[in-house]
Amino acid sequence: MKIIKTTNEMRSLALEEKISEKRIACVPTMGFLHEGHLSLIKRAKQVADVVVVTLFVNPTQFSPNEDFAQYPRDLQRDSELCLAAGADYLFAPSAEEIYPAGYNTEVTVKGVSELFEGKFRPIHFNGVATVVAKLFNIIHPDYAVFGQKDYQQTLVVKQMVRDLLLGVEIIVAPIIRENSGLAKSSRNTYLSDEQKTQALVLSQSLKLAADAIAAGETKSAKINKIMHDNIEKSAFSKIDYACAARAKDLTEPEEFAHGEEVVLLIAAYLGKVRLIDNCLVTIK
Ligand code: AMP
């Protein structure tokens, strides 16, 4: 596995692979890899000849009050994990490589970016769309694999790919969880052992709502209340959202139709740590 730090080198190596008719899959990450990331690399290997993992803690997707500075970083550990998972290239550029001095262009995806995460993290998806577009322009992958863990992000990226005719097939891989049910996340390193137990309220709340849907509930207010009530009586201090929405576009009807695919989305604070989780369910 090659570790690459510059866009020029990454661009020419990816081009060489394409000339040799290799199919490239890209796995964008912010590093501090865990089994969730490794599952994306494995999925990428199933569909492509060459896997490029990107590792970039993208400054433009963090607001000034967020955790950019303390976000965990460990390139040595990440490169060992990437190698073991079978990646061919690890692209770990500096901020200057991705955002050359005086850069003045960004990608805005309207609509789906403005809901849920977009309301609470207003610049977040601009940063995500911009960096993903840049990575695609450097690597020109045939496929890119993203995790369902960041469900709204997958919709934003798919919309951008359609709108900008980027020609990259977006693959969404399932959420990998601890045995306890806690969704794996690089940010779980911020949690104490006690908080990791308290954080199970998120996956439990999703399950309660999913069970209600399986038992025939179709009204969004009732589904949302089940999640809110369960989180409010827990150690979580603030709920940004705990909502059911249409999986295809995150719109929120008063009542879901039979057979409709729904995503249950939660973002909430445990102490200072903001955690997200979600699950997909089909209305009976
Ligand atoms: P991040 O490094 O947190 O930006 O995540 C990079 C990619 O890994 C994104 O597509 C995430 O959705 C995905 N990812 C993060 N956590 C998980 C998880 N627990 N299971 C599956 N994919 C994940």
Side-chain angles (χ1 to χ4, degrees), residues 154-252:
T154 67
L155 296 186
V156 171
V157 171
K158 283 180 183 170
Q159 178 86 48
M160 176 184 75
V161 166
R162 272 197 303 274
D163 292 354
L164 298 183
L165 312 176
L166 297 180
V168 180
E169 187 176 325
I170 303 303
I171 297 171
V172 180
I175 302 176
I176 302 297
R177 298 177 180 279
E178 308 281 356
N179 289 335
S180 64
L182 179 65
K184 297 214 180 219
S185 166
S186 308
R187 288 191 167 98
N188 289 352
T189 52
Y190 300 150
L191 300 174
S192 65
D193 285 346
E194 189 191 11
Q195 286 177 313
K196 281 186 185 153
T197 306
Q198 293 167 337
L200 297 180
V201 166
L202 295 192
S203 54
Q204 284 160 0
S205 305
L206 294 171
K207 173 134 193 346
L208 287 176
D211 287 349
I213 289 170
E217 188 56 75
T218 56
K219 292 199 172 63
S220 57
K222 290 217 171 136
I223 301 166
N224 298 351
K225 186 168 183 321
I226 290 169
M227 294 191 281
H228 269 265
D229 286 352
N230 198 52
I231 303 167
E232 275 162 17
K233 66 181 191 213
S234 75
F236 278 82
S237 50
K238 181 169 170 268
I239 303 173
D240 276 354
Y241 53 81
C243 291
R246 288 194 179 105
K248 60 174 186 204
D249 58 10
L250 303 189
T251 52
E252 295 177 89

Side-chain angles (χ1 to χ4, degrees), residues 120-141:
F120 295 93
R121 306 182 69 193
I123 63 159
H124 176 66
F125 285 126
N126 260 13
V128 169
T130 302
V131 79
V132 172
K134 286 171 184 255
L135 293 171
F136 287 0
N137 279 333
I138 297 163
I139 298 162
H140 291 285

